[in-house]
Every structure is written in C-alpha cells, then in structure tokens.
C-alpha cells in the first residue's frame, strides 16, 4: 500500500485554508507556523487568531496557556529542565479538554521568552489576557522577565502578583513591574511589602483593585487610586483620614467612578462614632432589603445599612457581609 500523500495546507485557497486553521487547536497552529516563513506569514493573516486567550505564568515552572475561540480546548506549554519530560503530553477532560505539552530546554527561562514572543507575534496579541507572576519564585530573573514583558507586550488585562514566602523581600521588583507594565482591568496584589513607604505605582482606570496586605496604602495613596471596585485589607488609613476621604467623595472631589469599596472596619457602630460623627448619614432599618453592587456587574440583596449621599444624588451604603465592612455606590 502506498503511503498517504501529504495534504498541501499552505497551497489551498485562503478561505479554505482558514477553515483548516479554525479546526486546529492552538498548539497545532503554533507547530505549523514554525515550518517556514510562509507558514508564519499565513498564520498572521488568520483573522480569528487575535481573539485567542493568552495567559502567561511565571513560577518555578514557566507556563504559556492558550484557549481557542470556543474555549473548549485549553492548550498549555510547560517549560522543563528535565529532558525525560520533553514532548510529554497530558490531557484531561471530556467536553472541556485541557492539553499540556512539556518542552525541554537547558535554559527554560530563555526558551519561555522566545516561545512567548513567537506566540504573541503569530496571534497578533498586543495585550495578554492574564499574567500570573510569583515574585519570589525566580527572584534573580525578575527584572529580566519584566523587561521582556515591557518590550513585547503593550498591556495586561488581568494581573496577579503573588509571593510564596512572606519573609522574601521583593519590594523593589514589585515596584519595577508596576512602573513598567500597563494593567487595563484588574490588579490582584498579594505581595507582602516590607517597606511602609513602598512607592508602588497603582494603575489608573481599573475595574478592580485587590490589595491583600495594604499596610503601604495611606491617605495620599488612597486619593491616587482610580478604580471602580477597591479592596484594601490591613491598610494604614486612620479614622480621621477616612472621614476626610468620605467628605471629598461627597463633594465629588475624588473617586468619581467608585462603585464598591472594602474598608477595614469590623463594626458599624464603631464606624459611625469614629468616622461618620460629623457626616450626615441615615441608618436604614434591617427589614429594608435592597440590591447593592458587591462585584463588578453583580448585585446582592442587602438588609439595612448606613447611607451617605453625594452632591449629585448618588448614595453610598455601608454594610457588613461575610465579616467584611464595605461601601456600595448606587
């Protein structure tokens, strides 16, 4: 029996070729693009490729994750220095499939950079959908990795910054990343900052900002925040400063786009006495139920609360939910 003939994908009419590309999962497209310069050029012409989801993860294992337009197949490259793992494929799921491919290199970080750059180029991605960076996983390489991102990526939609061990000092690297990478929608900052005078640059026009250990957030830094949904745990803002902040918010002098704010208080009576003592407010009966914003594009039914009113008529309602004291703007 004669061997099967090779299928000349790159010689098909463009519309037919595009349909073949659509049937491939992301790793197949990447492998095809590496055949020759013509394959790279054709891949870049595919109109659906920029719609692919890209996530980069920097940990002890470096990861590149991709989802096709139907999100049914997740394809992941994992960089490894274990030669026995090279080319190994792991696959899970039935309807939603997760496919992982291990890629061996004597220099996994450089290999990750080169492959990331190639993927971003052929998929014409100027913005990464998700960036996850464990700041103390590859400390000696942090600046190099951040410089790579700054050079090859215009912005990041969703950014997670972690660290594994609290005692590790990564303040300078965290500040360098915030100064050199544009975050569009959401920043989750879970780094344990050692210096209370840490001068991290908080991105502007965010949808969400979550800072777990926010001891470095004082009054002046609070006024710099420009975000719709703000969570500041363990901040250093005093009662008097919260009072000044709310007066500025009522006068429409700050945080005009604020929709939700988590504060560090535990008790509403304490908050009324220490913060709202000279601010007009209304205590709403616990029997009154209202739908209030608790997450972006999500509301929940809340009983009672304490209302303050902005000069344009918008209401800020303070309430406790799941032991968290918050303000929702409606």
């Amino acid at each position: 029996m004669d061997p099967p003939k090779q299928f000349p994908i790159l010689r098909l009419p463009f519309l037919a070729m595009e349909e073949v590309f659509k049937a491939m999962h992301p790793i197949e497209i990447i492998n095809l693009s590496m055949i020759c310069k013509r394959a790279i050029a054709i891949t870049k012409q595919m109109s659906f490729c920029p719609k692919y989801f890209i996530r980069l993860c920097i940990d002890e294992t470096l990861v590149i994750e991709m989802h096709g337009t139907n999100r049914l197949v997740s394809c992941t490259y994992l960089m490894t220095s274990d030669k026995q793992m090279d080319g190994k494929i792991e696959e899970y799921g039935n309807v939603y499939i997760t496919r992982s491919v291990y890629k061996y290199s004597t220099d996994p970080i450089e290999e990750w950079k080169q492959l990331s750059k190639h993927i971003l180029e052929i998929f014409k991605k100027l913005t990464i959908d998700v960036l996850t960076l464990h700041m103390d996983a590859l400390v000696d390489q942090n600046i190099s990795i951040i410089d790579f991102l700054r050079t090859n990526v215009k912005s990041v939609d969703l950014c997670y910054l972690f660290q594994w061990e609290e005692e590790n000092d990564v303040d300078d690297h965290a500040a360098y990343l915030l100064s050199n990478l544009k975050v569009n929608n959401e920043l989750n900052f879970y780094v344990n900052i050692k210096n209370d005078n840490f001068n991290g640059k908080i991105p502007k026009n965010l949808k969400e900002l979550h800072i777990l250990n926010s001891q470095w957030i004082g009054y002046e830094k609070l006024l710099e925040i420009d975000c719709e949904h703000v969570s500041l745990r363990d901040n250093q803002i005093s009662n008097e400063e919260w009072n000044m902040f709310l007066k500025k918010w009522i006068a429409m002098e700050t945080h005009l786009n604020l929709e939700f704010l988590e504060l560090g208080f535990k008790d509403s009576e304490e908050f009324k006495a220490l913060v709202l003592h000279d601010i007009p407010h209304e205590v709403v009966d616990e029997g009154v139920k209202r739908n209030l914003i608790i997450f972006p594009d999500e509301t929940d039914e809340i009983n009672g609360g304490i209302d303050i009113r902005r000069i344009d008529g918008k209401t800020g309602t303070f309430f406790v939910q799941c032991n968290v004291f918050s303000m929702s703007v409606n």
Side-chain angles (χ1 to χ4, degrees):
M1 181 182 294
D2 294 333
K5 294 182 180 179
Q6 294 182 345
F7 185 65
I9 296 176
L10 301 182
R11 296 181 184 177
L12 292 173
F14 183 78
L15 291 179
M17 192 161 35
E18 190 171 44
E19 292 304 313
V20 174
F21 269 73
K22 287 179 180 178
M24 297 178 177
H25 62 66
I27 289 180
E28 290 173 333
I29 294 176
I30 293 165
N31 290 340
L32 180 61
S33 72
M34 292 179 174
I35 293 174
C36 61
K37 290 183 179 180
R38 173 173 165 76
I40 293 176
I42 289 173
T43 303
K44 289 181 178 180
Q45 294 179 44
M46 297 298 154
S47 59
F48 61 89
C49 283
K51 299 177 184 177
Y52 278 17
F53 172 98
I54 304 291
R55 171 178 172 261
L56 300 182
C57 178
I58 297 94
D59 200 349
E60 292 180 354
T61 298
L62 293 105
V63 174
I64 306 169
E65 180 182 337
M66 299 153 288
H67 297 253
T69 53
N70 59 15
R71 295 294 180 94
L72 294 178
V73 180
S74 167
C75 297
T76 303
Y77 280 112
L78 297 98
M79 304 300 135
T80 178
S81 56
D82 183 353
K83 196 169 186 178
Q84 293 183 344
M85 294 292 291
D86 190 31
K88 181 180 178 181
I89 299 175
E90 297 176 341
E91 190 167 304
Y92 308 97
N94 295 315
V95 177
Y96 182 87
I97 298 172
T98 299
R99 183 178 293 124
S100 300
V101 177
Y102 288 85
K103 193 171 180 60
Y104 165 76
S105 175
T106 55
D107 188 351
I109 296 174
E110 186 60 30
E111 183 73 22
W112 177 86
K113 289 179 184 177
Q114 294 305 315
L115 184 56
S116 295
K117 182 178 180 180
H118 179 76
I119 290 171
L120 293 170
E121 286 180 353
I122 64 170
F123 290 160
K124 294 184 289 186
K125 295 285 288 188
L126 298 176
T127 295
I128 299 173
D129 295 279
V130 179
L131 172 67
T132 302
L133 177 54
H134 292 81
M135 301 295 299
D136 58 346
L138 300 167
V139 176
D140 293 341
Q141 298 293 330
N142 276 346
I143 299 301
S144 171
I145 290 170
I146 295 168
D147 285 342
F148 166 79
L149 295 170
R150 180 181 62 173
T151 303
N152 293 280
V153 175
K154 181 180 178 181
S155 61
V156 173
D157 281 340
L158 173 54
C159 182
Y160 291 93
L161 300 181
F162 297 101
Q163 72 179 91
W164 287 113
E165 303 294 339
E166 287 189 6
E167 63 270 17
N168 292 334
D169 188 343
V170 292
D171 290 14
D172 291 344
H173 293 171
Y176 187 72
L177 183 140
L178 292 175
S179 296
N180 288 282
L181 194 63
K182 184 178 186 294
V183 180
N184 298 323
N185 296 329
E186 182 178 340
L187 173 62
N188 296 273
F189 192 91
Y190 302 136
V191 178
N192 188 43
I193 296 300
K194 305 294 184 296
N195 184 359
D196 288 345
N197 296 317
F198 174 73
N199 192 28
K201 180 181 177 183
I202 300 176
K204 298 291 186 181
N205 300 313
L206 290 175
K207 290 282 289 183
E208 297 183 56
L209 173 65
H210 304 277
I211 303 180
L212 183 61
N213 300 301
S214 61
Q215 293 91 343
W216 55 280
I217 300 292
Y219 180 67
E220 295 301 326
K221 186 66 71 174
L222 172 65
L223 295 180
E224 294 176 11
I225 293 174
D226 178 17
C227 180
E228 295 178 10
H229 186 113
V230 180
S231 173
L232 303 174
R233 299 291 180 92
D234 301 322
N235 60 76
Q236 294 298 308
I237 302 166
S238 68
N239 296 327
E240 181 182 356
E241 289 168 338
W242 278 121
N243 176 275
M244 292 190 296
F245 168 78
L246 292 176
K247 287 176 179 177
K248 281 183 172 290
W249 179 82
I250 290 171
M252 297 184 67
E253 296 175 2
T254 190
H255 287 65
L256 300 185
N257 62 344
L258 182 66
E259 294 184 355
F260 184 89
L261 173 64
E262 278 191 17
L263 299 91
F265 288 84
K266 303 296 183 184
D267 181 76
S268 57
E269 292 300 321
E270 176 190 38
F271 183 74
K272 282 193 299 180
L274 299 178
V275 178
L276 297 181
H277 55 87
D278 61 349
I279 296 177
H281 59 275
E282 177 187 357
V283 178
V284 180
D285 188 270
E286 286 292 319
V288 176
K289 298 181 179 181
R290 295 176 291 178
N291 286 318
L292 303 179
I293 294 172
I294 59 167
F295 291 109
D297 306 317
E298 183 179 340
T299 62
D300 197 7
E301 191 174 74
I302 302 297
N303 290 4
I306 306 170
D307 288 354
I308 61 174
R309 196 171 302 278
R310 203 164 71 177
I311 59 173
D312 64 347
K314 285 195 174 185
T315 300
T317 299
F318 300 96
F319 62 95
V320 178
Q321 187 182 49
C322 301
N323 295 319
V324 176
F325 194 83
S326 308
M327 180 178 84
S328 177
V329 179
N330 298 271

